[in-house]
Amino acid sequence: MSAPGVVSFTQQGWEQVLAKVKRAVVYLDSACAESLHWGCGSTRLLEAVGGPEFHLREFESDAVGGGVKQPKAVFVLSCLLKGRTVETIRDIICRSHFQYCVVVTAVSHAVHLTANHVPAAAAAELEGQHPVFEQLEEKLCEWMGNMNYTAEVLHVPLLLAPAAPHLALTPAFASLFPLLPQDVHLLNSARPDKRRLGSLGEVDASTLTPKLLLQIRCLVSGLSSLCEHLGVREECFAVGSLSRIIAADLANYAPAKNRRKNATGRASVVFVDRTLDLTGAVGHHGDNLVEKIISVLPQLPGHTNDVMVNMVELTALQQEEENQNVVAPGCLAQSNDTAAKALWEALLNTKHKEAVMEVRRHLVEAASRENLPIKMSMGRVSPGQLTSYIQLFKTNLKALRNHCGLLQLGLATVQTLKHPQTAKWDNFLAFERLLLQSIGESSMSTVLSQLLPMIKPSTQRTNDDYNLEELLILLIYIYSVTGEFVVDKDLGDIEEKVKKALAQAFCEESELSPLLQKITGCDSSINLTSHKSKIAVDELFSTLRDIAGARSLMKQFKSVCVPGNHSHQAIYKPLLKQVVEEIFNPEKPDPVDIEHMSSGLTDLLKTGFSMFMKVILLSTRLLKPLNIPELLFATDRLHPDLGF
């Protein structure tokens, strides 16, 4: 095992799972499948299962059960073993012939006690015992139809999907999104008999809904396990309202107290609300090839951080649309291919031009090692040149197998460079730069007036025009980078014009994309009336204003825009960059917007940032790739149902 890190943490967890799956039918939920995908690959799991009659299956209510020749099942789940999740396990077992069931959950037993309303004092007395798991084991035997059959329930912290040694994602927590000002009203309505909250600054753990609190505790449980693996005693810091609650919960997490006493290292964990700066998440400032690949290629089904790479290029099939689904797609995650992993990490950490040259270099070296007839050419790297190198492997099965991971990354690069959306990237960037300049020189109403002529119904749009989803991206960019603004008559008038144009464009869409279906609440354009469209757009602009006011409680981090002057253009300065600069600048006083979360009296006596040792940044939501060095962890996957 390598030195402790996010990759070894994930692999160690999966080794525990692999030890249980021999000759079993394995059911995985999407978050655990994504962790496996990036951590060690499905091939490792298939090898551990063994036998052609044993399968990997998606964990869902209508999943196929086990046959007579399949007596063993392993369920690998990212969520609490409660409510709908347990019902699904029961339904699968009852229509199967299992005699041995293992249930692996990524959520610790301590959190299961919390979910079952066991008081903290009583939970402390149960340390080392697992009554919730034991009760479920009895139920598993009951559902299998014989109390003498074997059942096991265990906790393995499958929290992370390690995209790189220093970049990990938490796919089970996509729904854990920072609160917006409008959420204060929802919290107030859920607690009518208690003091009304005036702003996000007054929100704490006691004011949140039980479901959200449990979701936070599940995340905290996984992070505590990570700190245990790293052998560190963490100091928790927060920027933003939800991050403050998460950091405080981790700092005071009771099961971690003994672990911290024995820790030999120290680390500072900084949680940051992503809504404080959505500019970088939707903007096109990043000169990074991976960002473009993930932005333009279709999403790999069931995943949130990987894409489908069309592999037809390496077959004898014609490049026809009907052949696209004949061959299984490639992807970016190459956890068992050393050369491909090296290229992937290089792509993450280099600029676009250097990254494309790195792809060419790896392809040339691979072709040379296989003695393929490669023709060297220097100068600018083109998609055609890369394609010619890739096609050298097409007729050599041995070379194709040896370098399959590298070829997938090469094809992802070619398909991104040739994608029509990539050509639009520069248009986005130019418009965003113009917006930055306008924000420093003009009012918000003037900025929105520049966007208004771009809103066109589908019948009037050309390939060069922005579609509705792209216009929404620009709106998020505008409101996030602008921050707080004064609402005057001019702004009110232009907002109404933009809203009217958007509502009309929504109604005239021939087909609603999944995002537009979610926004409008209609699964088909036929069902979208003008009234529904207007309501959806009104709610959209309410959220946009909340995004603009997200930094209103900040004292230092009020702006993410550095105004221009006679010699320099206005530029975007990411919030995460500002946070890191504040932490490591020895000449500045303690940052007031980076709050230290105390875990006891000793910590209350500490001041300053002398506590910062190794710094881990966590963002409470990643909408799309940032400039990769900006963060270490990001929550990024819809959590399964937590209803009980």
Side-chain angles (χ1 to χ4, degrees):
M1 186 67 70
S2 59
V6 295
V7 176
S8 63
F9 173 66
T10 304
Q11 291 178 344
Q12 186 181 84
W14 279 104
E15 288 299 331
Q16 295 178 60
V17 175
L18 297 179
K20 298 287 184 181
V21 300
K22 187 175 182 180
R23 301 182 67 79
V25 179
V26 182
Y27 296 88
L28 298 120
D29 67 18
S30 56
C32 285
E34 196 160 0
S35 173
L36 173 71
H37 180 70
W38 288 99
C40 55
S42 58
T43 303
R44 286 286 311 282
L45 183 57
L46 288 168
E47 290 171 351
V49 170
E53 68 273 19
F54 305 104
H55 307 279
L56 305 186
R57 292 173 181 165
E58 184 178 359
F59 179 74
E60 55 186 359
S61 58
D62 57 351
V64 177
V68 177
K69 294 183 178 181
Q70 298 168 322
K72 182 179 178 182
V74 178
F75 298 86
V76 188
L77 308 173
S78 62
C79 53
L80 281 162
L81 303 178
K82 200 166 172 65
R84 184 59 190 148
T85 299
V86 173
E87 291 173 7
T88 301
I89 294 173
R90 179 199 63 200
D91 293 345
I92 293 172
I93 292 175
C94 288
R95 58 173 174 264
S96 304
H97 294 80
F98 299 137
Q99 300 174 25
Y100 183 3
C101 277
V102 180
V103 177
V104 178
T105 173
V107 181
S108 70
H109 185 266
V111 180
H112 280 83
L113 290 176
T114 302
N116 283 278
H117 312 293
V118 177
E125 294 177 3
L126 291 171
E127 186 175 358
Q129 302 177 54
H130 302 92
V132 177
F133 290 175
E134 290 165 5
Q135 288 174 17
L136 181 56
E137 287 172 354
E138 291 183 6
K139 283 292 184 183
L140 293 174
C141 290
E142 182 183 319
W143 297 333
M144 285 188 284
N146 190 327
M147 298 307 291
N148 292 320
Y149 286 165
T150 305
E152 293 179 63
V153 179
L154 63 150
H155 162 236
V156 178
L158 303 174
L159 171 72
L160 303 178
H166 301 290
L167 173 66
L169 303 151
T170 56
F173 294 94
S175 61
L176 189 59
F177 200 89
L179 301 172
L180 291 170
Q182 61 186 268
D183 295 317
V184 173
H185 303 295
L186 297 176
L187 293 175
N188 282 329
S189 63
R191 50 200 299 276
D193 300 330
K194 298 181 180 179
R195 181 181 63 84
R196 294 185 64 80
L197 303 169
S199 69
L200 285 177
E202 299 176 27
V203 174
D204 58 24
S206 67
T207 62
L208 299 182
T209 62
K211 183 176 179 179
L212 180 54
L213 274 174
L214 267 179
Q215 203 172 9
I216 290 172
R217 182 56 60 88
C218 290
L219 173 60
V220 164
S221 166
L223 293 175
S224 180
S225 297
L226 173 62
C227 290
E228 181 176 10
H229 176 78
L230 298 175
V232 297
R233 179 185 188 278
E234 70 278 15
E235 299 286 352
C236 300
F237 298 83
V239 183
S241 56
L242 187 66
S243 289
R244 183 173 64 249
I245 295 170
I246 297 173
D249 199 43
L250 177 57
N252 295 284
Y253 186 49
K257 289 184 178 178
N258 289 334
R259 184 258 301 168
R260 291 194 186 104
K261 291 176 183 176
N262 300 321
T264 56
R266 291 174 62 193
S268 297
V269 184
V270 185
F271 294 83
V272 182
D273 277 14
R274 197 68 187 96
T275 41
L276 295 174
D277 177 16
L278 292 178
T279 310
V282 299
H284 297 73
H285 308 283
D287 185 21
N288 183 271
L289 178 60
V290 173
E291 183 175 4
K292 295 176 182 177
I293 290 173
I294 296 179
S295 295
V296 305
L297 295 189
Q299 195 174 71
L300 190 64
H303 291 253
T304 54
N305 303 291
D306 209 340
V307 299
M308 289 196 293
V309 181
N310 185 352
M311 302 298 290
V312 174
E313 188 81 44
L314 290 172
T315 71
L317 292 171
Q318 296 295 315
Q319 287 277 12
E320 304 293 340
E321 188 172 343
E322 58 266 24
N323 291 332
Q324 302 300 307
N325 296 322
V326 174
V327 180
C331 60
L332 301 177
Q334 304 296 332
S335 54
N336 295 312
D337 188 325
T338 303
K341 279 202 298 185
L343 174 58
W344 168 248
E345 289 166 23
L347 299 185
L348 285 171
N349 294 296
T350 54
K351 292 187 176 181
H352 176 96
K353 183 178 179 181
E354 289 82 1
V356 174
M357 293 177 67
E358 193 70 10
V359 173
R360 178 175 68 178
R361 184 178 71 81
H362 275 73
L363 288 171
V364 168
E365 290 179 357
S368 299
R369 284 195 296 272
E370 298 292 343
N371 296 317
L372 299 176
I374 191 165
K375 294 181 180 180
M376 290 294 296
S377 58
M378 304 303 292
R380 184 174 177 272
V381 184
S382 67
Q385 184 187 84
L386 294 179
T387 300
S388 68
Y389 295 156
I390 291 169
Q391 287 182 336
L392 293 173
F393 296 82
K394 183 175 180 178
T395 55
N396 188 320
L397 184 58
K398 179 174 177 290
L400 189 63
R401 284 175 173 167
N402 290 342
H403 305 283
C404 186
L406 172 62
L407 295 173
Q408 290 176 62
L409 295 177
L411 283 170
T413 301
V414 170
Q415 290 162 25
T416 298
L417 295 177
K418 294 168 66 174
H419 199 283
Q421 198 64 31
T422 302
K424 234 177 186 181
W425 191 277
D426 290 337
N427 295 340
F428 268 107
L429 182 58
F431 187 67
E432 287 164 6
R433 284 176 174 168
L434 179 63
L435 286 173
L436 281 173
Q437 203 63 32
S438 299
I439 288 167
E441 300 172 355
S442 309
S443 64
M444 182 67 165
S445 57
T446 304
V447 173
L448 284 178
S449 65
Q450 297 176 35
L451 185 72
L452 183 58
M454 301 179 183
I455 305 173
K456 299 177 181 178
S458 57
T459 53
Q460 298 177 22
R461 286 197 298 264
T462 67
N463 290 335
D464 293 329
D465 290 321
Y466 295 111
N467 62 36
L468 291 181
E469 290 193 11
E470 291 166 344
L471 289 167
L472 294 179
I473 286 173
L474 288 175
L475 280 168
I476 293 170
Y477 185 95
I478 290 170
Y479 279 79
S480 180
V481 77
T482 302
E484 281 189 288
F485 52 81
V486 177
V487 180
D488 55 20
K489 185 178 183 302
D490 289 342
L491 177 57
D493 290 344
I494 191 64
E495 268 194 348
E496 286 303 317
K497 291 179 181 178
V498 171
K499 287 160 69 173
K500 183 178 179 181
L502 271 178
Q504 184 64 31
F506 279 7
C507 288
E508 295 185 20
E509 284 292 289
S510 56
E511 185 177 346
L512 296 178
S513 68
L515 176 61
L516 295 182
Q517 289 178 27
K518 187 173 183 179
I519 290 173
T520 60
C522 296
D523 57 2
S524 169
S525 57
I526 299 173
N527 302 324
L528 182 59
T529 63
S530 298
H531 180 64
K532 289 180 180 178
S533 181
K534 182 180 183 303
I535 291 174
V537 172
D538 285 341
E539 292 176 351
L540 172 67
F541 271 77
S542 176
T543 301
L544 287 172
R545 287 197 175 185
D546 277 357
I547 289 171
R551 295 186 297 274
S552 61
L553 298 176
M554 297 288 104
K555 297 179 177 62
Q556 288 175 294
F557 306 133
K558 280 282 189 184
S559 175
V560 293
C561 179
V562 179
N565 54 38
H566 64 281
S567 58
H568 298 286
Q569 286 190 335
I571 61 168
Y572 162 62
K573 187 172 184 180
L575 179 80
L576 290 176
K577 183 176 182 180
Q578 296 181 48
V579 170
V580 172
E581 286 179 354
E582 286 292 329
I583 290 172
F584 290 104
N585 190 338
E587 298 178 0
K588 291 192 175 183
D590 295 345
V592 294
D593 287 336
I594 306 177
E595 301 179 64
H596 175 233
M597 297 296 115
S598 169
S599 60
L601 180 60
T602 303
D603 288 337
L604 286 173
L605 299 176
K606 295 177 182 178
T607 58
F609 270 74
S610 59
M611 290 178 288
F612 272 103
M613 302 295 286
K614 299 175 182 177
V615 176
I616 300 174
L617 280 178
L618 295 99
S619 171
T620 51
R621 177 63 169 163
L622 181 67
L623 294 186
K624 74 171 205 179
L626 309 171
N627 292 331
I628 294 303
E630 287 185 347
L631 95 165
L632 181 58
F633 300 111
T635 64
D636 203 309
R637 180 61 194 168
L638 182 62
H639 195 288
D641 182 27
L642 286 174
F644 306 122

